[in-house]
Amino acid sequence: MTLEIISPSEILFKGEADKVTLPGKLGSFTVLQNHASLISVLNEGQIIYHTPGEGEKTLEIKGGLVDVDSNVVSVCVY
């Protein structure tokens, strides 16, 4: 699936990911290939994502929004 993580000033990551764990308002949740569509508010915490060939990466955020649709995970963070 395609993962896009953007902030107001830059693109933090854009590429393929096998899974993404996000700090949702009601707790952390993981998005995998073919996940159902959703929109969620994100709390302060970590985005943990696994990319093919590069392994696991972590990104600290203060909050944001995520949209999941048709194997595209779009994350706007601040």
Side-chain angles (χ1 to χ4, degrees), residues 2-69:
T2 302
L3 172 63
E4 301 170 333
I5 305 173
I6 62 169
S7 74
S9 59
E10 65 183 311
I11 297 172
L12 301 171
F13 178 81
K14 184 172 183 176
E16 291 299 308
D18 299 325
K19 71 176 183 177
V20 183
T21 301
L22 301 148
K25 192 78 168 171
L26 299 175
S28 292
F29 62 96
T30 300
V31 176
L32 301 170
Q33 185 79 12
N34 298 318
H35 196 283
S37 295
L38 70 82
I39 297 174
S40 179
V41 175
L42 301 176
N43 277 349
E44 185 172 351
Q46 294 183 333
I47 297 175
I48 303 168
Y49 56 101
H50 187 272
T51 60
E54 294 182 33
E56 190 172 280
K57 296 185 176 190
T58 303
L59 178 65
E60 291 287 332
I61 64 167
K62 294 185 186 218
L65 298 167
V66 62
D67 174 60
V68 179
D69 191 38

